[in-house]
Amino acid sequence: VENAFSVYSQQYRHNGRPLEWAQFAYAVSNAIFFVHGQDYIEMRAASTSEALNTSMQAMAKEYLASNALDDATPAGFSWLPEKDLDVKSVTMVVSNAFGFKRLDQVFTGEYRIDDITVTAYISERASVEEAAELASSFSSFFLRFGGKELETAFPSPDGRIIEIMDSFNIVFSKGAFLAGVHEARTIEVARELASRLHKQIGVMSGGQNTGN
């Protein structure tokens, strides 16, 4: 499910219109796109026609009916805090997230906080140790490209706040999760969203919202 959603989310066209007959589905003038279980499906017409689009949707519905599956939502949707999240912006990046080749299997989502759009990200790693080491490496990646570390130990003991190119990034780990905030315009918004992420991971881990 995650891989199919990854393809769907990364090619998502924001001018498309959502389709209600599938959890992840939308249409543009000459094509429809949707996810069904482990499959990502595109249907394209040779020309723009509402009648053709309607016919493609009818075919897609028949396909779904003849290949019935229980709806499965990618895990990352429950990892990202709901408040202020633009659900349509949620994306799964399979590899090379934010230009860092070691960072893979990352869910991202855009938030609107204090009229500022900011991106949060989260990735479940194989172990606590891997999450902590990857957070450290990712932070160092920003520093190598001119970033300046402003503060440590937020929102967890290994958390780092890095200013780069007039924006603020926060990287931290908690348990087996690496998470953070990417390119926030203000440090206040970056800290607010990082705190929400940290709290959400704590809830998922059994209600412990402090510490690492």
Side-chain angles (χ1 to χ4, degrees):
V1 174
E2 277 76 9
N3 288 339
F5 173 75
S6 176
V7 177
Y8 172 87
S9 64
Q10 292 189 64
Q11 63 76 53
Y12 185 85
R13 303 183 193 179
H14 291 280
N15 64 341
R17 66 179 188 274
L19 300 173
E20 296 183 356
W21 42 259
Q23 186 177 17
F24 302 109
Y26 74 97
V28 294
S29 58
N30 70 329
I32 61 175
F33 310 84
F34 63 100
V35 172
H36 186 57
Q38 297 181 351
D39 297 326
Y40 163 72
I41 300 165
E42 294 185 9
M43 299 178 70
R44 297 177 180 269
S47 61
T48 299
S49 165
E50 190 62 33
L52 278 174
N53 201 290
T54 299
S55 295
M56 286 191 295
Q57 290 192 51
M59 291 174 60
K61 291 176 185 178
E62 288 183 9
Y63 170 79
L64 296 183
S66 61
N67 295 274
L69 295 172
D70 293 333
D71 284 340
T73 301
F77 277 80
S78 65
W79 301 344
L80 292 165
E82 291 184 7
K83 184 180 179 182
D84 300 317
L85 172 65
D86 177 1
V87 176
K88 292 191 295 184
S89 75
V90 176
T91 300
M92 181 183 174
V93 184
V94 176
S95 63
N96 200 36
F98 307 118
F100 185 53
K101 65 182 180 180
R102 290 188 57 205
L103 189 54
D104 59 3
Q105 306 297 310
V106 179
F107 281 90
T108 71
E110 291 184 356
Y111 290 77
R112 190 73 176 171
I113 301 174
D114 295 338
D115 292 324
I116 294 173
T117 299
V118 60
T119 298
Y121 61 89
I122 185 167
S123 176
E124 185 174 24
R125 313 312 299 181
S127 66
V128 172
E129 293 75 17
E130 181 189 338
E133 190 279 327
L134 190 58
S136 177
S137 294
F138 189 34
S139 300
S140 297
F141 170 77
F142 285 119
L143 297 176
R144 287 199 304 272
F145 285 92
K148 176 184 177 182
E149 186 168 353
L150 300 184
E151 187 174 343
T152 58
F154 179 86
S156 61
D158 70 345
R160 301 171 81 175
I161 301 176
I162 299 167
E163 182 179 8
I164 183 170
M165 298 180 67
D166 298 320
S167 66
F168 300 91
N169 296 266
I170 295 181
V171 185
F172 69 93
S173 69
K174 181 174 177 64
F177 288 92
L178 175 148
V181 177
H182 187 64
E183 294 185 346
R185 282 164 42 198
T186 71
I187 194 168
E188 292 80 12
V189 166
R191 290 174 65 93
E192 169 62 24
L193 187 50
S195 294
R196 294 184 194 179
L197 273 170
H198 189 261
K199 180 178 180 180
Q200 179 74 0
I201 296 170
V203 170
M204 293 188 298
S205 303
Q208 299 300 314
N209 296 332
T210 60
N212 204 33

